[in-house]
Amino acid sequence: MLIEIDNPSSVKRQLAKLFEESLRKTVPDEPDVVPLVDACVAKSGVRFADYQCNNAMSLWAKVKGKQTGFRGPPSIGKAIIDNLPASEMIESCSTAGPGFVNVVLSKKYIAQRVQKMLSDGIDALSPRLPIKRVLIDFSSPNIAKEMHVGHLRSTIIGDTLCRMLEFCRVECVIRRNHIGDWGTQFGMLISYLFENFPNADDVNEAAIGDLQAFYKASKVKFDSDPEFKLRAQQAVVKLQGGELSYRKAWQQICDVSRTEFDKVYQRLGVRLEERGESFYNPYIPMVLEKLDKLGLIEENDGARVIFVEGVNIPLIAVKSDGGYNYCTTDLAALWYRLNEEKLEWIVYVTDVGQFQHFDMLWRAYRRAGWLPKDENEYPKCTHIGFGLVLGDDGKRFRSRSSEVVRLVDLLDEAKRRCKVALLERAKDWSEEEIEKTAETIGYGAVKYADLKINRLTNYTFNFDQMLNDKGNTAVYLQYAHARICSIIRKSGKDIEEVKRNGNIVLVHEDERALGLHLVQFPEAFEEACVNLLPNVLCEYLYNLAEIFTKKFYTNCQVVGSAEEASRLLLCEATAIVMRKCFYLLGIEPVYKL
């Protein structure tokens, strides 16, 4: 568990409080027994209970042989039921197997919870996180290089984590884009820029053209031309020394890159606050001096390094040639974030291969006394890793020419394929409707295909699978939401008036199944949030769509039925929860089929 949150809207937590009271009466001599309450998972399509308390077996191991009167786990389970305080939540309890306590919630309670969600709004269900200032460091492309699928994962996951923490009512969630805009490669780029554009006024996005091609051409010259390499190395010194013409050239290259990055962020609907590596450059000498005075920095093969416990290789704070690297920048950036920005929690979203780098960084800070020894105390740092995006060949995802796939091209291809499908089935739609819907579905499909996978796992990028309207895809979910909206429209009823005057009554078993899943949204969100795993939220959303589509919609007529008002309210509640899940995942809903 990465964080603990206060989640009073969780049914599971409310049940746990009841069982906590029962356990105190059942085993008064065993203090601090934590109630083990979990939602039941349907087996073979059948759910025998809604929740289960599983304390009996572990308690028997503690009290066996003592004068308690218990004869085994089943008798403890029965006593737990007998000592449960009366509650409108529970319709019935029973024991099963070795003392498992099965709980069935009352239909009236479920209906009231769904009704309250409609009256109070879904944001009233948001939990609370006991901190005020969080920074999520994500996306983080390098200037003059194309954003690739690794940046796609970081951007999508990072944006979702920001949305999740914002829903937890954190006062300040900073969306930080730590751009790679400083370093030795800029001497190479600036020198190449000067060769091609002696007149600095001629430099613009159109003049530079394809930034990736520009970078490659400069790299070829750097590797093959010793004189150019020397000029590039001298250019770095002039840039770091603040020479105006070099700073201007650096800024021009950054501006062109930023325009390319923004094309991706606009398509994905992602907001970021940029702060490049260059920002922290003035803080580096001071941070290194502080670390040196604390005795952390030592000489090693001409470099200045920091050793940390449990790792054989050191952090290189200053290279043997006296230059700085990304590790130096990260040391300064972390100092700034803790001391100037006063952050309580800093979350780094990068691929799993960078875990050791960040772990060593934090260990160095703990050595310095700048972070708590206990890594769970605040202020704290957390690495959120993710796996690779693979092609159909099982290797890192690339184009057929083995080039890194441009994210803009990848997203536009998703939109193009959706547009082709829409043109075939939406004959009466306007061009504007088709264009907007193609974007919504295409970009949403790419995001969801990533987020539904446990972030630590590799996944295969496949357009056909992610754009399928059947199965666990964004397209299926968006269409399910559009179907709900269509049902409400066809009823001809003012849904706000139905919400004011109607009541939910759960009679049919599939009405109850839908209602139960709706009231479990807070605990599903909590599970996703405490370990920062968006795939848990995706699983909840997919199951909600399945219950609505394959159970409720199939077996419970809405429009024109005697139960129309109640069932319209269930439709509306489902749509509201789906829209909140879509928002948290950074996906726009579709309202029309």
Side-chain angles (χ1 to χ4, degrees), residues 185-196 214-215 217-235:
Q185 79 271 22
F186 278 96
M188 176 183 80
L189 292 165
I190 290 169
S191 297
Y192 192 72
L193 186 70
F194 284 163
E195 281 197 1
N196 285 272
F214 184 85
Y215 181 90
S218 67
K219 184 70 166 66
V220 168
K221 193 167 181 65
F222 182 85
D223 292 338
S224 62
D225 186 338
E227 289 185 6
F228 177 82
K229 184 174 184 178
L230 179 61
R231 290 198 301 275
Q233 291 168 340
Q234 293 170 341

Side-chain angles (χ1 to χ4, degrees), residues 3 21 25 42 130 152-153 171 186 195 241 255 258-259 273 276 278 286 329 393 415 431 520 553 558:
I3 53 173
E21 190 173 335
K25 295 178 181 178
L152 178 69
R153 291 216 77 182
E171 285 185 16
F186 278 96
E195 281 197 1
D255 288 345
R258 193 172 290 111
T259 300
E273 174 208 79
S278 59
M286 176 268 293
T329 302
D393 59 358
K415 174 187 171 183
E431 176 63 26
Q520 289 175 329
Y553 179 69
V558 179

Side-chain angles (χ1 to χ4, degrees), residues 41 53-54 91 120 124 136 188 193 251 259 282-283 314-315 413 416 422 448 469 511 561 577 580:
V41 178
C53 176
N54 302 322
E91 181 176 294
D120 295 354
I136 311 288
M188 176 183 80
L193 186 70
Q251 189 62 59
T259 300
Y283 296 92
L315 280 171
E413 175 64 12
R416 185 194 68 78
L422 285 169
Y448 187 80
D469 62 1
E511 292 176 311
S561 69
V577 173
K580 177 53 69 174

Side-chain angles (χ1 to χ4, degrees), residues 8 10 97 120 126 129 135 191 211 258 260 265 334 337 352 357 370 415 419 425 499 556 559:
S10 165
D120 295 354
S126 63
L129 192 60
L135 182 146
S191 297
L211 199 60
R258 193 172 290 111
E260 290 299 309
Y265 297 139
L334 182 53
R337 291 169 176 182
V352 292
H357 162 71
W370 295 353
K415 174 187 171 183
K419 188 173 181 179
R425 60 195 297 178
K499 284 162 68 174
C556 302
V559 179

Side-chain angles (χ1 to χ4, degrees), residues 551-567:
K551 291 185 176 181
F552 177 80
Y553 179 69
T554 301
N555 300 319
C556 302
Q557 179 186 343
V558 179
V559 179
S561 69
E563 303 86 359
E564 182 180 76
S566 174
R567 290 176 177 176

